[in-house]
Amino acid sequence: MTDAKTLGQALDALLQPEKFRDYGPNGLQVEGDREIKRLVSGVTASRALIEAAIADNADAMLVHHGLFWRGQDGRVTGWMRDRLRLLLTHGIHLFAYHLPLDAHPELGNNAQLGRLLGFQAEGRFGEQDLGFFGTPAVSWSSAQDLADHVAGVLGRPVTCVGEGGRVIRRVAWCTGGAQGYFEAAIAQGVDVFLTGEISEPQAHLARETGIAFLACGHHASERYGAPALGAHVAQLLGIEHQFIEIDNPA
């Protein structure tokens, strides 16, 4: 058993959120009133995840996408009221870590995704060093072959744009909505860049530069950091942990 202060201190010590310029608050976002025996982790603090955490008798939740974001409407109405009502009624603490969870070199989304796909990280790139680059365990004969591998591992379709016959010897990746990192990835001399989403400009850049772009899903690329972090901190503090997957096609 532990308390919210101790759990928050352990998470902050691991992720060092003070080092990041982020889009919302990292750490304890909603304070509950329970001693913490059971921690549930998930990708997004959606109503579905909150309801699943309640059913799982969770005392605290740990997510990548929290409730509060810079520039959003600050009124507690509609869906925000419903989510907060559930958390406060059941006394559940909500912890959220965005960019710090993407960036952690071992437990983060990028590190965990790279390990899952067989990528060996050699360095970092992009704003706040969020992107990773390195070498795949296998030299894929084409970007489409790599895309098929990623699709099989993640269990969802992958969009592949760009060079079709280039042997893949160097890769760059950054989970979530990191399509804006594509040019920085190209500058690292890679053969392919992998992230969650693609926007209109990146399709043209991929075709014109010969560097393939793989979009594998925002949620799909970011569902590995939270359970790794949750399991780690649960073992550290002697509490129970359960990851709950809420499917999202985006």
Side-chain angles (χ1 to χ4, degrees):
M1 182 181 296
T2 189
D3 55 35
K5 181 179 179 181
T6 302
L7 177 56
Q9 288 173 337
L11 290 166
D12 284 351
L14 283 166
L15 299 180
Q16 301 181 303
E18 70 279 359
K19 294 184 176 182
F20 294 86
R21 302 182 306 278
D22 214 333
Y23 307 101
N26 289 296
L28 181 62
Q29 288 197 346
V30 178
E31 184 178 4
D33 59 11
R34 302 167 65 136
E35 291 295 312
I36 301 172
K37 299 178 183 178
R38 187 163 180 80
L39 173 68
V40 157
S41 64
V43 178
T44 299
S46 63
R47 179 171 175 172
L49 180 62
I50 295 169
E51 290 174 338
I54 293 168
D56 197 59
N57 196 30
D59 305 301
M61 295 174 59
L62 170 64
V63 299
H64 180 49
H65 300 136
L67 292 180
F68 307 108
W69 300 97
R70 186 175 65 208
Q72 76 181 48
D73 189 332
R75 291 174 289 186
V76 181
T77 60
W79 62 267
M80 179 65 83
R81 178 204 62 191
D82 291 341
R83 295 184 193 182
L84 286 172
R85 175 181 55 80
L86 287 169
L87 289 167
L88 294 171
T89 297
H90 293 272
I92 298 173
H93 309 276
L94 174 66
F95 292 86
Y97 291 87
H98 186 229
L99 297 184
L101 184 54
D102 289 321
H104 193 275
E106 296 176 1
L107 302 172
N109 285 319
N110 282 309
Q112 291 293 313
L113 182 65
R115 185 174 295 114
L116 185 70
L117 297 178
F119 299 160
Q120 177 63 49
E122 297 174 353
R124 309 285 282 267
F125 74 97
E127 185 179 359
Q128 303 190 75
D129 284 336
L130 293 176
F132 284 45
F133 66 87
T135 55
V138 175
S139 294
W140 299 95
S141 59
S142 71
Q144 186 58 58
D145 285 344
L146 175 57
D148 292 342
H149 165 67
V150 175
V153 172
L154 300 186
R156 59 153 291 147
V158 170
T159 298
C160 177
V161 180
E163 175 59 46
R166 186 189 194 109
V167 175
I168 306 301
R169 296 187 175 91
R170 289 180 60 78
V171 297
W173 69 99
C174 191
T175 64
Q179 56 267 54
Y181 279 48
F182 190 27
E183 289 185 77
I186 293 170
Q188 300 302 318
V190 300
D191 303 301
V192 63
F193 175 62
L194 184 152
T195 186
E197 304 174 10
I198 187 169
S199 297
E200 195 269 353
Q202 285 81 50
H204 299 293
L205 283 176
R207 292 167 181 153
E208 293 169 15
T209 62
I211 307 302
F213 189 110
L214 304 188
C216 65
H218 193 129
H219 175 89
S221 68
E222 294 193 325
R223 62 188 178 202
Y224 302 104
L229 176 63
H232 179 87
V233 76
Q235 183 177 30
L236 185 69
L237 298 178
I239 60 177
E240 299 174 0
H241 167 257
Q242 176 68 39
F243 173 70
I244 295 179
E245 165 74 343
I246 303 296
D247 185 52
N248 189 327

